[in-house]
C-alpha cells in the first residue's frame, strides 16, 4: 500500500516529484522540478513555490508552506486553483498566465486573506524553462512607509499636473526643484534640463525666455525681501515665440529660525482677460456715442450689479435721472422711488436673459422701454441695455381711436343681439307648436297601443301567443311588413317564437330555427343587442342569400337592470322609419320590457323552486337508500337524545324494531350502565362540536356483549346551530381478540429470544474451551518435526478451528445485535487508520491469490472523525473478507469519500470495490439474508455460512445508514454504505 511522502527537504522533495512524474507519466500528475542555479539565485529566500507549464504544483519549500497554509504532500501535482482555492481567480493566476505567455520576471505587492496568512508580501515571479518560480517575501514596515510616501508624492504630482495654472518650487538659492506640466508647457522647458538649475542657468539653456527668467529673478528677490505673498505681472514667451501676460503669485517660505527655506510661484495667464477688458471699453464708447445721439429718448447700459455704465439722451429727464450723477451708481441710488420699483425687478429679469418691452408712466409723460441682455463670449449675460422712447402723443391718439372704435362696436353688437333674439323667439314658437301637435298625436297613438298590449298580456294563456299578439299589434300600428319579438335565453342567444309567419314562407335559407347567436352575427339587430341601443336604417341593408328582402329596419332592445333581456324589431315600413317611429317603439319596448321581465322572473323562480324541491326529494331518497344499504349500523339523534333515524343494520344489530326506536333514547334500549356512557359522550360532543371516536361495549341482538367503535359527529341547521348527533357503529370484537392473541405471541417470542440468548451465552464458553485447546495443540504440533503429510493435517486442523471460531463470533455478534446489546461509541478516530485496519488482515491472503489490495481516501475527506471506529472496521472487514473470498484476479479497493457536511457533522461514504464474478440482479436482496449465499454451490467452493453480509447490514443500520450493492454479473461488485460522523475543529486538534 503506497502512501504520500512525508515532509522532506527541497532536494528530497524534488527527487520524489521526479520519481512520481516517471511513475504516472501522462496520468495527470506534475512533471519533476528542473531549475537552474541561476534562476534560483534570482529569487528571494523566504517562500518558494514552483509550477510547471500547466500551472501544476511542482515544489513548495517549508517557508511557502507556512505562508500558503498547505503542505507539499497535499498539493503536489495539483492545479494551482485546486491546490490553493483561496487564491483562485485572483491577481495570482492572471500574472502567472502572463509570465508563462511572455516570459521574463514580474513583481507586485499583495495582501493575503481568508485561509492564507493575513500579511503584506512582495511577490516575485521568475519564468524558467520548465515553468514558473514564485518567491514570497514579507515587506517591512519601513518599506511599506517608503512605498506609501512614494504613492503620496505621485498623487500630489498628478494633482499639480491637473491644475490649469503653472506651479513651481525653488529652494533658498533659487534652484528649480519642482514644476508641474502646465508651467513646463508655458515656459517651453523640455527634458530634465530645468531640474536643480537657477533662473540664470535656465536663461542660458532656454534663450527664448531669457528676459522673462531674468525678470523672474528680480521679482523673486523682491518677494524674499517682503517676506509675504506678492503678485507680479510679467511677460512670458510661449514655445512659438508669442508673448503672453501672466499674473505671478510668489510666496516665500522660512524655517523656524527665520532662514530662507523655499519659494512657491503660481503663474496665471491673464492675456485673454486683458483683451476682453479692452473690448469692453471699446463697446462702452460705442454705446455712449449712440446714447448721446438718440432722439426723443435715452440709451442706458448697466452691469450685473445694476450700476449705470453708460447713460445719455434727452429721455433721461423724463425718468427723473440726472446724466451727470449716473455713472457708477445703481438704479436704487439714482431713480425716484416709484420708477425704481418698476425698473429694478425688470432689469434683474433682463440680466437673467429675458427681452422686455413695457410702458412706464412718469408724471404726465408715457415712456416705452425696450430692455435686452448683452451676452459675453461664453453665451452668458455680462450686462444689460435699455432704451426709452416718449410715446405720450401716440398714446393719446390711440386712446381716442379706441374709444370711437369701441362705441361703434357696442352699437353694432346691441342691434345684432336684438335681431337674433327676435328670430330665436320666432323659431321656438314654431317648434313648440309643431312639437305639441306631434306629442299629442304620438301620446294618443302610444296610449292606445299600450292598452292593446296590456290586454294581450292579461288574456293570453300561452307564452307564444303573448309574443305573437304583441308583435301583430306593433306591426299593424306601424304598417310594417315583417317583424319579430324575442327574448334572450340563458346562453345569450335570441329566441324569436313570434317571427312573422310569412317570413319563413318567403325565406329560403337552410336553417330556419328561431334561435340566433348574437356573438357570431354582424347584422343590424345583433349590433343593437351588443351596443344596448336602438338601431335603424332606411337604405343600404344587405341580407344573406335567400333571406327576405329588407328596404328598411328598426330594432329596439328590451333593457332591464342594465341588461338586454329581449328585442323588438320591425322591417319594411311603406315610407321608412323616422324619429317618431323610434320614440314610439322605444316607449313601447320600455313598457313591454318591464312586463316581460316580471313575467320571466316569476316563471324562472317557479322553475328553480320546483327543481330545488325535486333535487331535495331525490337527494333525500338517495341518502335514505344509501343508509339502508350500508352494512354498518347508522343512527342519528336529536339534541335531546331521541332517535330520529336509523338503518336496517342498526335494527338487526341491536334486535329492535322501528316501533321501539321512535321517540326512544339510549336509556330505553340499552342497559343502564352502558346508556350512561352513551349519553355522557353525546352531551360532551354537543357542547364541544365536531366529531369523536371512542371504544365501548354494546349488547347485541343475540344478547352477547360486543366490543364496538363509535364514530360520532354533530350536525347543524342552515344557521350553524347544532341539531343533534349522527353515529356509526363498528364491531371490533374480532380485532380485539386478534390483538390479544398477537400480544401473547409477542410475549412468547420475547421469552424464546431470551432463552436463545442465554443458551448462546452459555454455549459460547463451552465451544471456546475446546477450540482454544485445539488451536493451542495445533501450535505445539507445528513446533515439532513433522513430515509433510502430518504438517498438512495440522494446518487443516488449525484452519478448521479458525473457521469455527469465526462462525461463533458471527453468531454471537448477530445475537447481540438482535437483543439490542450492541452499543455505539463516540470518540475521535483517524479515517486512514480505519481503512488501514480493515485492509491489513486480508492483504496476505489477497497477495497469495495474486490480487492487489489497497485503500484510498478522497482529499476532501476529514482526517479526524468522531464515532464508533470499531463498528466501521467490523463492517469494512466483513465486506473486504467477502471481496477477497470471491475475487480470483484483479484488484480490491477500500475507499472513503466525503458526501456532504452539515454544521458539525459530515456524511462519509465507505466503499469496497472488487473485480470478482459479481452478483446476479435477482440474488442481490438474498445475499443480505441469514445463512444465504447468491449461488447454492458457493459454500462448497468458497466456504462460509452466509452470516457476514447480514451482520454488516445490521451494523450499518445501527449507524443510521444503508448498505447497498451494485454488481453487474461478470464486472465485479461495489458495496457502499454511508453514515454520519462528528467533526473535530482545528482548535481541538
Amino acid at each position: 500500500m503506497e502512501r504520500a511522502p512525508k515532509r522532506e527537504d527541497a532536494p528530497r522533495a524534488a527527487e520524489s516529484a521526479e520519481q512520481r512524474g516517471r511513475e504516472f507519466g501522462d496520468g495527470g500528475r506534475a512533471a519533476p522540478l528542473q531549475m537552474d542555479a541561476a534562476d534560483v539565485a534570482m529569487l528571494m529566500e523566504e517562500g518558494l513555490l514552483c509550477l510547471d507549464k500547466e500551472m501544476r504544483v511542482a515544489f513548495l519549500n517549508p517557508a511557502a508552506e507556512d505562508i500558503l497554509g498547505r503542505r507539499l504532500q497535499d498539493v503536489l501535482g495539483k492545479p494551482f486553483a485546486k491546490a490553493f482555492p483561496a487564491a483562485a481567480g485572483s491577481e495570482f493566476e492572471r500574472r502567472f498566465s502572463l509570465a508563462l505567455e511572455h516570459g521574463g520576471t514580474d513583481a507586485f505587492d499583495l495582501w493575503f486573506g481568508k485561509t492564507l496568512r493575513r500579511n503584506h508580501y512582495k511577490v516575485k515571479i521568475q519564468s524558467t524553462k520548465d515553468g514558473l518560480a514564485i518567491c514570497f517575501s514579507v515587506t517591512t514596515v519601513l518599506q511599506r512607509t517608503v512605498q506609501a510616501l512614494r504613492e503620496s508624492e505621485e498623487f500630489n504630482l498628478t494633482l499639480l499636473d491637473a491644475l490649469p495654472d503653472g506651479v513651481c518650487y525653488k529652494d533658498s538659492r533659487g534652484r528649480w526643484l519642482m514644476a508641474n506640466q502646465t508651467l513646463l508647457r508655458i515656459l517651453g522647458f523640455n527634458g530634465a534640463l530645468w531640474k536643480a538649475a537657477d533662473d540664470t542657468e535656465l536663461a542660458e539653456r532656454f534663450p527664448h525666455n531669457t528676459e522673462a527668467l531674468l525678470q523672474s529673478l528680480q521679482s523673486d528677490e523682491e518677494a524674499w525681501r517682503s517676506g509675504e505673498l506678492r503678485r507680479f505681472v510679467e511677460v512670458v514667451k510661449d514655445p512659438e515665440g508669442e508673448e503672453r501676460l501672466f499674473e505671478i503669485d510668489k510666496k516665500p517660505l522660512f524655517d523656524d529660525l527665520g532662514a530662507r527655506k523655499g519659494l512657491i510661484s503660481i503663474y496665471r495667464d491673464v492675456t485673454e482677460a486683458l483683451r476682453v477688458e479692452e473690448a469692453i471699453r471699446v463697446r462702452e464708447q460705442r454705446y455712449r456715442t449712440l446714447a448721446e445721439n438718440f432722439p426723443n429718448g435715452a440709451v442706458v447700459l448697466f452691469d450685473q450689479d445694476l450700476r449705470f455704465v453708460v447713460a445719455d439722451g434727452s429721455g433721461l429727464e423724463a425718468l427723473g435721472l440726472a446724466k451727470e450723477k449716473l455713472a457708477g451708481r445703481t438704479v436704487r441710488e439714482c431713480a425716484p422711488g416709484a420708477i425704481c420699483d418698476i425698473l429694478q425687478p425688470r432689469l434683474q429679469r433682463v440680466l437673467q436673459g429675458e427681452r422686455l418691452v413695457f410702458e412706464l408712466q412718469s408724471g404726465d409723460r408715457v415712456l416705452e422701454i425696450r430692455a435686452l441682455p448683452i451676452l459675453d463670449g461664453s453665451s452668458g449675460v455680462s450686462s444689460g441695455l435699455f432704451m426709452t422712447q416718449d410715446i405720450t402723443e401716440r398714446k393719446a391718439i390711440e386712446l381716442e381711436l379706441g374709444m370711437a372704435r369701441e362705441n361703434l362696436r357696442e352699437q353694432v353688437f346691441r342691434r345684432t343681439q336684438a335681431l337674433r333674439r327676435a328670430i330665436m323667439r320666432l323659431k321656438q314658437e314654431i317648434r313648440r307648436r309643431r312639437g305639441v301637435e306631434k306629442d299629442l298625436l304620438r301620446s294618443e297613438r302610444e296610449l292606445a297601443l299600450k292598452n292593446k298590449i296590456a290586454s294581450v298580456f292579461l288574456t293570453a294563456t300561452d307564452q307564444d301567443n303573448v309574443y305573437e299578439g304583441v308583435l301583430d299589434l306593433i306591426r299593424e300600428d306601424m304598417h310594417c311588413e315583417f317583424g319579430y319579438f324575442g327574448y334572450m335565453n340563458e346562453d345569450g342567444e335570441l329566441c324569436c317564437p313570434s317571427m312573422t309567419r310569412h317570413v319563413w314562407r318567403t325565406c329560403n335559407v337552410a336553417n330556419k330555427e328561431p334561435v340566433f347567436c348574437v356573438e357570431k352575427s354582424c347584422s343590424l339587430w345583433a349590433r343593437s343587442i351588443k351596443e344596448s341601443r336602438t338601431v335603424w336604417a332606411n337604405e343600404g341593408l344587405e341580407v344573406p342569400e335567400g333571406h327576405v328582402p329588407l328596404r328598411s329596419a328598426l330594432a329596439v332592445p328590451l333593457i332591464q337592470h342594465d341588461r338586454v333581456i329581449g328585442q323588438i324589431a320591425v322591417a319594411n315600413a311603406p315610407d321608412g322609419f323616422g324619429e317618431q317611429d323610434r320614440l314610439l317603439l322605444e316607449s313601447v319596448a320600455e313598457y313591454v320590457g318591464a312586463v316581460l321581465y316580471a313575467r320571466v322572473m316569476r316563471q324562472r323562480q317557479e322553475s328553480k323552486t320546483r327543481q330545488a324541491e325535486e333535487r331535495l326529494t331525490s337527494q333525500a331518497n338517495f341518502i335514505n337508500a344509501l343508509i339502508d344499504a350500508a352494512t354498518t349500523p347508522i343512527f342519528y339523534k336529536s339534541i335531546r337524545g331521541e332517535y330520529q333515524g336509523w338503518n336496517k343494520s342498526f335494527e338487526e344489530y341491536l334486535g329492535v324494531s322501528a316501533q321501539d326506536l321512535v321517540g326512544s333514547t339510549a336509556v330505553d334500549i340499552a342497559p343502564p350502565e352502558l346508556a350512561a356512557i352513551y349519553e355522557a359522550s353525546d352531551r360532551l360532543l354537543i357542547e364541544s362540536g365536531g366529531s369523536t371516536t371512542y371504544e365501548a361495549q354494546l349488547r347485541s341482538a343475540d344478547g352477547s356483549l360486543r366490543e364496538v367503535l363509535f364514530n360520532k359527529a354533530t350536525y347543524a341547521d342552515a344557521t350553524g346551530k347544532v341539531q343533534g348527533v349522527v353515529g356509526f357503529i363498528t364491531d371490533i370484537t374480532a380485532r380485539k381478540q386478534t390483538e390479544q392473541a398477537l400480544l401473547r405471541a409477542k410475549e412468547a417470542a420475547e421469552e424464546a429470544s431470551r432463552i436463545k440468548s442465554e443458551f448462546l451465552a452459555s454455549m459460547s464458553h463451552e465451544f471456546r474451551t475446546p477450540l482454544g485447546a485445539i488451536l493451542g495443540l495445533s501450535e505445539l504440533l507445528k513446533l515439532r518435526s513433522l513430515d509433510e503429510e502430518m504438517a498438512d493435517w495440522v494446518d487443516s486442523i488449525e484452519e478448521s478451528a479458525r473457521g469455527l471460531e469465526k462462525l461463533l463470533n458471527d453468531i454471537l455478534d448477530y445475537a447481540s445485535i438482535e437483543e439490542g446489546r450492541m452499543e455505539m461509541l463516540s470518540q475521535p478516530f483517524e479515517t486512514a487508520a480505519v481503512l488501514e485496519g480493515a485492509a491489513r488482515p486480508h492483504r496476505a491472503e489477497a497477495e497469495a491469490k495474486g490480487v492487489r489490495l489497497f485503500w484510498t481516501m478522497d482529499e476532501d475527506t476529514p482526517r479526524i472523525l468522531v464515532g464508533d471506529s470499531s463498528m466501521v472496521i467490523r463492517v469494512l472487514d466483513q465486506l473486504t473478507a467477502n471481496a477477497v473470498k470471491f475475487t480470483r484476479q484483479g484488484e480490491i479497493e477500500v475507499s472513503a469519500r466525503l458526501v456532504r457536511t452539515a454544521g458539525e457533522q459530515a456524511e462519509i461514504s465507505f466503499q469496497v470495490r472488487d473485480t470478482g464474478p459479481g452478483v446476479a440482479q435477482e440474488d442481490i436482496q438474498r445475499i443480505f439474508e441469514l445463512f444465504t449465499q447468491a449461488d447454492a454451490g458457493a459454500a462448497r467452493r468458497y466456504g462460509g455460512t452466509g452470516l457476514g453480509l447480514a451482520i454488516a447490514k445490521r451494523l450499518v443500520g445501527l449507524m443510521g445508514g444503508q448498505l447497498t450493492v451494485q454488481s453487474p454479473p461478470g464486472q465485479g461488485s461495489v458495496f457502499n454504505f454511508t453514515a454520519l460522523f462528528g467533526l473535530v475543529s482545528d482548535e481541538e486538534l
Side-chain angles (χ1 to χ4, degrees):
M1 181 69 186
E2 294 182 359
R3 299 291 303 275
K6 297 183 178 179
R7 179 171 171 176
E8 304 168 343
D9 55 11
R12 293 180 60 191
E15 181 181 355
S16 175
E18 183 176 4
Q19 180 181 354
R20 290 180 179 272
R22 289 195 300 268
E23 178 181 352
F24 291 95
D26 295 333
R29 309 292 269 176
L33 173 67
Q34 296 180 3
M35 294 180 59
D36 296 333
D39 294 334
V40 176
M42 291 177 64
L43 303 175
M44 300 295 290
E45 296 181 358
E46 294 192 26
L48 178 61
L49 167 66
C50 296
L51 305 177
D52 62 13
K53 292 185 177 180
E54 296 181 358
M55 297 286 287
R56 295 178 299 190
V57 178
F59 177 68
L60 196 69
N61 72 346
E65 290 181 341
D66 294 337
I67 292 173
L68 299 175
R70 300 298 297 269
R71 299 303 176 195
L72 176 61
Q73 58 266 31
D74 297 332
V75 299
L76 184 64
K78 293 183 178 180
F80 176 81
K82 189 173 184 180
F84 307 105
S90 66
E91 186 71 10
F92 281 110
E93 288 190 297
R94 188 182 70 81
R95 290 181 177 265
F96 291 172
S97 300
L98 291 175
L100 281 175
E101 182 178 356
H102 302 292
T105 61
D106 190 10
F108 57 96
D109 294 336
L110 198 67
W111 282 91
F112 291 172
K114 295 185 178 178
T115 58
L116 304 179
R117 288 190 176 182
R118 185 69 176 175
N119 208 336
H120 191 271
Y121 290 89
K122 175 73 71 175
V123 182
K124 293 185 178 180
I125 306 173
Q126 172 63 44
S127 174
T128 68
K129 60 184 180 181
D130 294 317
L132 294 177
I134 302 95
C135 179
F136 304 89
S137 60
V138 180
T139 305
T140 63
V141 176
L142 178 59
Q143 289 173 327
R144 291 198 298 271
T145 304
V146 172
Q147 180 65 20
L149 290 175
R150 289 177 180 173
E151 293 176 355
S152 177
E153 181 180 358
E154 292 177 358
F155 173 77
N156 293 333
L157 290 176
T158 302
L159 182 62
L160 288 175
D161 289 339
L163 293 176
D165 298 336
V167 180
C168 72
Y169 175 75
K170 303 176 184 179
D171 62 9
S172 59
R173 291 184 291 178
R175 293 177 298 184
W176 288 55
L177 300 183
M178 186 276 297
N180 67 348
Q181 293 296 324
T182 303
L183 183 57
L184 295 178
R185 188 169 54 254
I186 291 171
L187 298 177
F189 292 176
N190 50 23
L193 297 176
W194 59 273
K195 292 186 178 179
D198 57 20
D199 290 337
T200 305
E201 295 172 343
L202 291 176
E204 296 176 358
R205 297 175 184 176
F206 303 100
H208 69 279
N209 256 326
T210 301
E211 295 180 4
L213 292 171
L214 294 179
Q215 186 180 3
S216 175
L217 189 62
Q218 297 176 2
S219 59
D220 289 352
E221 191 60 34
E222 292 182 19
W224 281 115
R225 284 196 301 270
S226 66
E228 58 186 16
L229 178 66
R230 291 290 304 276
R231 175 171 290 178
F232 303 92
V233 177
E234 299 178 3
V235 177
V236 178
K237 291 184 178 180
D238 59 15
E240 286 76 18
E242 182 181 354
E243 292 186 350
R244 311 283 297 179
L245 194 62
F246 284 84
E247 284 185 353
I248 306 176
D249 293 333
K250 297 190 177 184
K251 172 65 176 176
L253 303 177
F254 301 91
D255 58 15
D256 296 338
L257 299 178
R260 293 183 178 183
K261 184 178 179 181
L263 181 70
I264 298 176
S265 301
I266 300 177
Y267 287 70
R268 186 175 301 104
D269 192 341
V270 296
T271 307
E272 297 300 330
L274 293 177
R275 291 177 181 173
V276 172
E277 290 179 1
E278 181 63 25
I280 291 175
R281 283 196 294 272
V282 173
R283 290 181 182 179
E284 288 181 357
Q285 184 62 34
R286 292 177 181 173
Y287 294 147
R288 192 178 304 277
T289 303
L290 176 63
E292 291 174 351
N293 297 278
F294 192 73
N296 299 325
V299 178
V300 180
L301 178 68
F302 57 91
D303 61 11
Q304 287 283 349
D305 298 326
L306 295 182
R307 294 183 182 275
F308 294 113
V309 179
V310 177
D312 209 339
S314 58
L316 292 176
E317 296 178 359
L319 290 173
L321 302 176
K323 175 181 178 181
E324 62 277 1
K325 297 181 181 180
L326 294 181
R329 302 180 68 186
T330 64
V331 176
R332 178 64 65 183
E333 294 171 348
C334 300
I339 294 177
C340 179
D341 293 341
I342 297 174
L343 279 179
Q344 185 168 351
R346 286 172 170 78
L347 297 183
Q348 288 176 345
R349 290 168 57 187
V350 170
L351 292 176
Q352 295 175 1
E354 295 188 42
R355 291 174 172 263
L356 301 178
V357 178
F358 58 93
E359 295 179 359
L360 186 146
Q361 184 77 32
S362 178
D364 59 350
R365 313 301 293 174
V366 180
L367 301 178
E368 181 184 70
I369 300 178
R370 295 179 178 271
L372 66 156
I374 298 176
L375 305 179
D376 59 11
S378 58
S379 299
V381 178
S382 62
S383 57
L385 176 70
F386 72 87
M387 295 174 289
T388 67
Q389 182 71 35
D390 191 338
I391 59 172
T392 306
E393 295 180 1
R394 189 181 73 187
K395 293 294 290 185
I397 296 172
E398 289 178 356
L399 181 60
E400 293 179 2
L401 290 175
M403 293 175 61
R405 189 183 298 110
E406 186 64 28
N407 186 23
L408 179 61
R409 186 184 296 112
E410 180 67 23
Q411 292 180 10
V412 173
F413 177 75
R414 286 198 300 268
R415 293 182 180 181
T416 303
Q417 289 295 103
L419 182 60
R420 287 179 178 176
R421 284 194 295 269
I423 294 173
M424 186 175 296
R425 285 195 298 269
L426 180 60
K427 289 182 178 180
Q428 289 176 352
E429 181 63 21
I430 295 173
R431 283 198 300 269
R432 186 185 67 79
R433 292 184 180 184
R434 290 179 179 177
V436 169
E437 294 176 358
K438 291 182 179 179
D439 290 342
L440 289 175
L441 293 174
R442 184 169 57 83
S443 298
E444 293 176 359
R445 178 183 175 190
E446 179 182 323
L447 182 60
L449 182 59
K450 287 182 179 178
N451 289 335
K452 294 177 182 179
I453 292 173
S455 64
V456 172
F457 276 109
L458 292 174
T459 58
T461 57
D462 185 72
Q463 185 74 10
D464 292 342
N465 293 336
V466 172
Y467 289 103
E468 291 180 1
V470 171
L471 178 62
D472 290 340
L473 291 174
I474 294 173
R475 286 181 48 253
E476 181 181 354
D477 185 83
M478 300 184 71
H479 308 289
C480 295
E481 184 180 1
F482 304 124
Y484 65 82
F485 176 19
Y487 64 91
M488 304 297 295
N489 62 15
E490 295 180 355
D491 296 329
E493 298 173 325
L494 180 64
C495 302
C496 302
S498 64
M499 184 72 72
T500 305
R501 294 182 181 87
H502 66 280
V503 168
W504 294 132
R505 293 195 297 270
T506 308
C507 183
N508 294 323
V509 296
N511 183 14
K512 294 185 179 181
E513 291 292 330
V515 178
F516 305 97
C517 180
V518 178
E519 294 297 330
K520 295 181 179 180
S521 177
C522 300
S523 61
L524 180 143
W525 65 268
R527 191 165 72 252
S528 172
I529 294 176
K530 293 177 183 178
E531 300 176 4
S532 301
R533 67 182 181 88
T534 301
V535 179
W536 84 90
N538 292 318
E539 59 182 9
L541 290 171
E542 297 181 1
V543 295
E545 184 179 355
H547 196 280
V548 294
L550 297 180
R551 299 185 302 275
S552 59
L554 171 62
V556 179
L558 306 181
I559 301 176
Q560 291 293 318
H561 302 290
D562 298 329
R563 185 169 63 90
V564 177
I565 65 171
Q567 188 182 53
I568 297 176
V570 290
N572 291 359
D575 300 324
F577 297 100
E579 184 68 18
Q580 293 298 320
D581 296 324
R582 179 185 69 81
L583 294 175
L584 173 65
L585 193 56
E586 284 180 349
S587 178
V588 172
E590 183 178 358
Y591 170 72
V592 172
V595 177
L596 178 63
Y597 181 77
R599 190 182 186 105
V600 171
M601 289 297 103
R602 184 177 68 253
Q603 292 176 350
R604 288 183 179 178
Q605 186 62 37
E606 292 175 355
S607 176
K608 288 182 179 179
T609 303
R610 186 167 54 257
Q611 293 175 0
E613 291 176 352
E614 293 175 356
R615 285 197 301 270
L616 287 175
T617 303
S618 176
Q619 185 177 6
N621 294 335
F622 173 76
I623 292 174
N624 292 333
L626 181 65
I627 292 175
D628 284 337
T631 58
T632 300
I634 303 173
F635 64 91
Y636 62 94
K637 304 178 181 179
S638 68
I639 197 171
R640 296 185 299 274
E642 298 175 349
Y643 288 97
Q644 300 293 314
W646 53 87
N647 63 351
K648 293 293 183 181
S649 297
F650 184 80
E651 296 178 8
E652 295 172 357
Y653 191 79
L654 296 180
V656 295
S657 62
Q659 293 78 7
D660 298 332
L661 291 174
V662 173
S664 62
T665 64
V667 177
D668 300 325
I669 64 173
E673 64 277 7
L674 297 179
I677 296 174
Y678 304 154
E679 289 188 337
S681 66
D682 290 347
R683 285 196 301 272
L684 181 61
L685 180 60
I686 290 172
E687 292 173 359
S688 60
S691 61
T692 183
T693 301
Y694 64 92
E695 296 181 3
Q697 292 182 331
L698 183 67
R699 185 74 65 181
S700 64
D702 59 2
S704 62
L705 199 62
R706 309 291 292 179
E707 297 287 339
V708 296
L709 181 68
F710 280 99
N711 293 289
K712 295 182 179 180
T714 58
Y715 64 91
D717 58 12
T719 63
K721 183 178 179 181
V722 176
Q723 297 297 310
V725 176
V726 61
F728 298 82
I729 301 175
T730 304
D731 194 324
I732 60 172
T733 306
R735 190 182 73 185
K736 285 288 187 179
Q737 294 173 354
T738 302
E739 290 177 354
Q740 292 176 0
L742 290 175
L743 181 61
R744 291 193 296 271
K746 177 177 177 295
E747 293 174 351
E750 290 177 350
E751 179 65 18
S753 176
R754 185 185 62 80
I755 295 173
K756 178 193 71 174
S757 299
E758 292 178 355
F759 170 75
L760 290 175
S762 61
M763 290 302 295
S764 64
H765 176 71
E766 299 298 330
F767 279 121
R768 291 182 186 279
T769 301
L771 277 176
I774 293 172
L775 292 172
L777 291 175
S778 298
E779 292 293 333
L780 292 175
L781 287 173
K782 290 169 67 175
L783 296 176
R784 299 294 183 93
S785 299
L786 303 174
D787 56 25
E788 183 177 354
E789 184 178 6
M790 295 184 67
D792 290 341
W793 292 349
V794 172
D795 291 340
S796 298
I797 293 172
E798 183 178 12
E799 183 179 355
S800 299
R802 296 291 183 189
L804 185 58
E805 182 182 25
K806 185 177 185 308
L807 175 61
L808 284 175
N809 291 335
D810 290 345
I811 293 174
L812 292 176
D813 286 345
Y814 189 80
S816 298
I817 296 172
E818 288 292 306
E819 295 177 10
R821 292 187 288 106
M822 187 73 71
E823 297 181 357
M824 293 281 293
L825 301 178
S826 181
Q827 56 188 7
F829 64 89
E830 292 188 7
T831 310
V834 169
L835 299 175
E836 179 68 22
R840 185 187 306 110
H842 306 283
R843 185 175 296 168
E845 183 180 356
E847 291 177 352
K849 299 171 67 174
V851 176
R852 179 172 175 250
L853 174 62
F854 63 99
W855 63 270
T856 60
M857 185 174 70
D858 192 83
E859 61 181 5
D860 295 331
T861 304
R863 186 170 57 86
I864 303 297
L865 298 173
V866 179
D868 194 338
S869 60
S870 62
M871 190 168 293
V872 178
I873 291 177
R874 292 169 73 177
V875 174
L876 290 176
D877 179 74
Q878 292 282 8
L879 298 178
T880 306
N882 197 61
V884 172
K885 180 192 301 184
F886 291 99
T887 303
R888 296 181 178 180
Q889 59 182 1
E891 62 182 18
I892 300 174
E893 178 186 12
V894 182
S895 62
R897 66 178 180 86
L898 174 66
V899 178
R900 62 183 178 89
T901 58
E904 297 181 354
Q905 286 188 323
E907 184 178 1
I908 306 299
S909 172
F910 293 94
Q911 189 178 94
V912 176
R913 179 183 60 84
D914 62 55
T915 57
V919 181
Q921 189 66 29
E922 61 272 12
D923 295 331
I924 286 181
Q925 293 300 326
R926 296 178 58 250
I927 62 176
F928 294 108
E929 297 177 1
L930 291 176
F931 309 108
T932 303
Q933 293 187 354
D935 188 357
R940 293 190 297 272
R941 292 196 304 271
Y942 302 105
T945 61
L947 275 175
L949 292 180
I951 294 173
K953 183 176 182 179
R954 284 160 175 78
L955 290 176
V956 171
L958 291 176
M959 290 188 288
Q962 185 177 5
L963 180 60
T964 60
V965 59
Q966 295 179 354
S967 181
Q971 300 182 20
S973 303
V974 178
F975 287 83
N976 180 80
F977 71 92
T978 60
L980 289 176
F981 298 92
L983 295 175
V984 179
S985 63
D986 296 339
E987 291 78 5
E988 294 175 346
L989 291 176

